Each structure stands twice: as C-alpha cells, then as structure tokens.
Amino acid sequence: MARFTLPRDLYHGKGALEALKTLKGKRAMICVGGGSMKKFGFLDKAEAYLKEAGMEVELFEGIEPDPSVETVMKGAEAMLKFQPDWIIAMGGGSPIDAAKAMWIKYEYPETTFEDMCKIFGIPTLRKKAHFCAIPSTSGTATEVTAFSIITDYSKGIKYPIADFEITPDVAIVDPELAETMPKKLVAHTGMDAMTHSVEAYVSTANCDYTDPLALHSIKMIKEDLVDSYNGNMDKRASMHNAQCLAGMAFSNALLGIVHSMAHKTGAAFADFGAHIIHGAANAMYLPKVIAFNAKDETAKKRYADIADFIGLGGSTADEKVQLLIAYLRKMSEDLNIPHCIKEYGADSYPCAQGFVPEEVFLERLPEIAKNAIGDACTGSNPRQPSQEEMEKLLKCCYYDTEVDF
C-alpha cells in the first residue's frame, strides 16, 4: 500500500493571499524571514487579512536562511506563550521549514530535535494548531511537502525532517510574492525544482500519481526557468506553479542522492566563510548523479523518458541520457551556476578557484560521504552507492570529472 498526501486546500493565482480571510480561528502566528515580505508589503497584507478573519495576530520574525535548531526552539517557545491555533509561514523555504519544526515542538514540548529527525516518526499533529504555508520563492515547494530541512550548525549538517504530519493544511501559491525574488534566487530555486522533478520521476517510490506531476513540471521548468531568470514575469508566475507541481511529486515519490549530497555538503565548509547554496548544489550534482544512476537499467529508461517528453532527441537510451545531462549543464550555464564545487565561489558564482580548498574537501570527504549515505533521501535512490562509490561521486562533483563507475 502506498500513500499520496497533499494540503487539503491550495489557493493559487494572483491575489490568492486574500484566502487568509477564509481561515477560522482565534490566534495566528506569522513566521517570516529576513524582511522581504515586510519590505514589499505582503506581511502587512497577511496580517490585515487574518485580523479581518477575526484573529489576534503575533509575528515571529527574523528566521535565517538555512534555519538552525536554536531558531526552531526559540520559535516553539514563542508559540507556547501565544498559543496560536493557526501557524502561518510565509517567505522562502527557510521560514516555512522552520515553522514546520516549531509546530512539532509546540504540539509536543517534550520532543527533542533528534526525535523530529526520526523518519516518519512524528506523532499526530493538529491538536493545537493548523498550518498554512505561503511561498515567496519558486523552488522548495515546502508549502505542499512532508519535509523540512533544519541545520545543526554544531555538526555542520542539514537534517531532513520527513513525515506526512507536517504537510501543510493550506497552501497559498500567489505569484505576486515570487515577483520580488532576486535574480540569483530565481536560478537556485529553479534548479532545486528541476532536481525535485527529475529525482521524483526516477525514485524507487514513483507511482502513477506522481509521474504526471514530475513530467509536466520538468516540461514547464524547461520552458519557463531561463526566461523567468531574465525577467519575464509571466514565466515567473508559471515557474511558481511548476515548482509546486514538482513538490507534489517529490513529497509523495521521495527524492534521491542529489539531495542527500546537497544536504551534507551545504554547511560542511561553513568555517571557510560560505555555504554551498542548496539549489546550486543540486544543479552541480544532478548531471553526475544521472550518469551514476543510469548504470541501473530501470533508471536509464526513465531518464530517457524524460528526454523524450521534453523533446531532446536521441535514438538510444544512452544517447537520450547524455542529451539530458548536456541539457541540464547548459541550463546551469544560462543561470550562471558553476559546474563543480572547485569552481564554486563564496558568492555562488563560477570562478577559477572556489571557496572550498581541495585539501579540506579531501580531508572531510569520508565523513561527508558517510553522512550522505545515511541521509533520508538515499533510500529511494534507484542505485544504492557504497561508501567508496559515494566518495568517488563526490570527487566527480568537486572536480567536474566523468562518472564512469
């Protein structure tokens, strides 16, 4: 038996934020990030709509990118004081992910972060509050997923929390919020969405319910992402829908080792002054993982299906896989994303020598590989890597060398 879970209600299209007026409750806490939602007036609108619905509103502001365990605990403490019956998370993936984890701690104060990380082990939520997610970026799709990514900075590791319990009750996908994204964010979140779709389609947990969502979102991203990056707001609106469809696919079909590797490398070199931004990591690693997974015949056929669906050509499955890899690499170039860690600058742009020194990468490689294998996303990857294979794969991602194993 399999399960397919989405939010009960999904409001979409321009002006969808107004759906907040329809929520029923007494107290709502709005969780937001660094200020863009306030700067562009969306936070004020959300607060006004909730008050119009008859709710008392409190804000929890300042959730950082790559939210920390400490932020989660602080937010849960604020919720325990305010006692909201609605949690409204708005902004990029970070505030929504953080609010999901806060929600668990709010409903079960004795829960530890380690408890939260037990895959599909979260107790029943909604005893105290329901959850509404409003994304302002077009990539993570956390507004429709059963996942949250929280960073333990003491270990330099991003941990996925995974359970259908944290799938939001309501998602509001309003493209007006996405119009405010900086260009670099459009690129990174877009490639995150592309990776979600591709990994969901080849995942061992794919099914008839997830495949159409994955394929259609890949086609939309192919048609819309680069133009969105270059300022076309109609394409930006379409990308906001595409990333949400990708999220519906991967939340139910799960992901693979592109995400495992991105999770475990993202904060692994923070002591050298930067993170490897999640979407950029996905963009760099996806072509290498496709080459690795395509050694599995079932995965190869499904990658070939993707190439056919988006019209890349090729007469054999091997040719189609190579054309897909080449297409994704060209898309990264069009979005000014590096091909490998060695060329990944502290500002995320390509450069001759990136911020991660070779000797440091090699020194940390065994531990990173071990952590990536243990990541929640690895189990549904079509080919299970050994420690040696994961180390070799990560080296290919560092040096941009061919995957021939």
Side-chain angles (χ1 to χ4, degrees):
M1 182 177 73
R3 179 174 173 179
F4 185 85
T5 300
L6 296 174
R8 183 182 185 279
D9 293 302
L10 193 154
Y11 299 93
H12 57 96
K14 288 202 171 188
L17 188 64
E18 196 170 345
L20 288 172
K21 291 196 293 192
T22 68
L23 301 185
K24 302 285 192 290
K26 295 178 180 177
R27 284 180 297 281
M29 178 171 279
I30 305 178
C31 301
V32 292
S36 65
M37 290 298 92
K38 181 181 282 188
K39 177 182 174 186
F40 294 107
F42 295 114
L43 181 57
D44 287 343
K45 274 188 182 180
E47 194 170 355
Y49 289 145
L50 290 165
K51 286 179 177 175
E52 198 173 327
M55 290 196 231
E56 184 184 347
V57 180
E58 185 169 297
L59 306 181
F60 184 84
E61 301 180 78
I63 297 170
E64 74 274 34
D66 302 310
S68 66
V69 177
E70 290 75 19
T71 295
V72 168
M73 298 306 166
K74 187 178 172 187
E77 193 177 318
M79 289 177 187
L80 284 163
K81 285 180 184 171
F82 183 61
Q83 293 289 306
D85 44 24
W86 273 100
I87 297 165
I88 315 293
M90 65 187 300
S94 294
I96 299 174
D97 278 4
K100 285 180 175 180
M102 292 170 191
W103 184 23
I104 302 167
K105 183 76 173 173
Y106 168 49
E107 298 233 359
Y108 294 93
E110 302 306 313
T111 300
T112 65
F113 181 65
E114 290 70 25
D115 293 334
M116 294 183 197
C117 294
K118 291 171 185 169
I119 304 304
F120 295 96
I122 292 168
T124 303
L125 298 180
R126 296 166 181 82
K127 295 181 185 297
K128 292 183 180 179
H130 286 82
F131 194 100
C132 173
I134 309 165
S136 64
T137 61
S138 302
T140 70
T142 189
E143 72 275 7
V144 292
T145 75
F147 299 96
S148 164
I149 307 298
I150 305 298
T151 303
D152 184 335
Y153 284 92
S154 68
K155 296 178 181 175
I157 296 176
K158 295 184 179 185
Y159 288 96
I161 299 170
D163 198 292
F164 287 118
E165 283 297 321
I166 61 170
T167 304
D169 299 286
V170 176
I172 298 176
V173 184
D174 188 331
E176 290 183 344
L177 279 71
E179 291 177 2
T180 65
M181 282 194 291
K183 199 169 183 180
K184 181 163 72 171
L185 192 58
V186 173
H188 293 160
T189 55
M191 287 307 291
D192 192 19
M194 177 63 93
T195 306
H196 290 156
S197 300
V198 173
E199 290 210 289
Y201 192 72
V202 302
S203 159
T204 56
N206 74 75
C207 69
D208 290 338
Y209 293 88
T210 60
D211 283 352
L213 294 164
L215 287 173
H216 188 60
S217 56
I218 290 168
K219 185 177 181 183
M220 290 177 73
I221 294 164
K222 177 181 182 281
E223 292 171 354
D224 299 331
L225 176 54
V226 174
D227 287 342
S228 171
Y229 175 74
N230 289 320
N232 182 320
M233 288 302 157
D234 288 336
K235 299 288 191 177
R236 184 79 53 89
S238 184
M239 271 301 302
H240 212 42
N241 288 335
Q243 65 85 32
C244 188
L245 296 174
M248 293 178 186
F250 92 78
S251 185
N252 292 280
L254 308 179
L255 292 165
I257 59 172
V258 179
H259 273 77
S260 303
M261 293 155 66
H263 292 155
K264 299 326 185 207
T265 53
F269 308 101
D271 51 329
F272 284 83
H275 279 211
I276 301 175
I277 295 170
H278 181 71
N282 283 339
M284 293 190 293
Y285 307 163
L286 180 59
K288 304 303 182 190
V289 169
I290 290 174
F292 175 79
N293 283 342
K295 304 291 191 294
D296 173 271
E297 288 301 317
T298 302
K300 183 197 292 187
K301 182 185 181 305
R302 291 185 77 80
Y303 288 129
D305 289 345
I306 292 171
D308 286 341
F309 193 77
I310 59 176
L312 296 183
S315 55
T316 68
D318 287 326
E319 281 181 20
K320 291 171 184 179
V321 170
Q322 288 307 311
L323 286 166
L324 178 60
I325 289 170
Y327 178 79
L328 292 168
R329 286 175 65 88
K330 174 65 165 58
M331 182 173 263
S332 285
E333 289 169 12
D334 291 342
L335 299 170
N336 207 17
I337 296 173
H339 285 310
C340 61
I341 299 169
K342 187 177 180 183
E343 297 170 2
Y344 184 93
D347 59 1
S348 84
Y349 293 124
C351 62
Q353 180 55 59
F355 84 94
V356 181
E358 181 179 18
E359 64 275 12
V360 174
F361 173 80
L362 293 172
E363 179 189 337
R364 299 182 186 181
L365 177 60
E367 186 67 17
I368 292 170
K370 177 186 164 191
N371 289 334
I373 289 170
D375 188 87
C377 295
T378 299
S380 46
N381 194 68
R383 188 179 168 201
Q384 290 299 301
S386 65
Q387 173 75 19
E388 181 187 1
E389 286 169 336
M390 181 59 83
E391 288 186 26
K392 286 168 73 174
L393 191 53
L394 283 160
K395 279 185 181 177
C396 291
C397 294
Y398 185 86
Y399 297 108
D400 191 21
T401 49
E402 292 298 314
V403 177
D404 58 0
F405 53 93

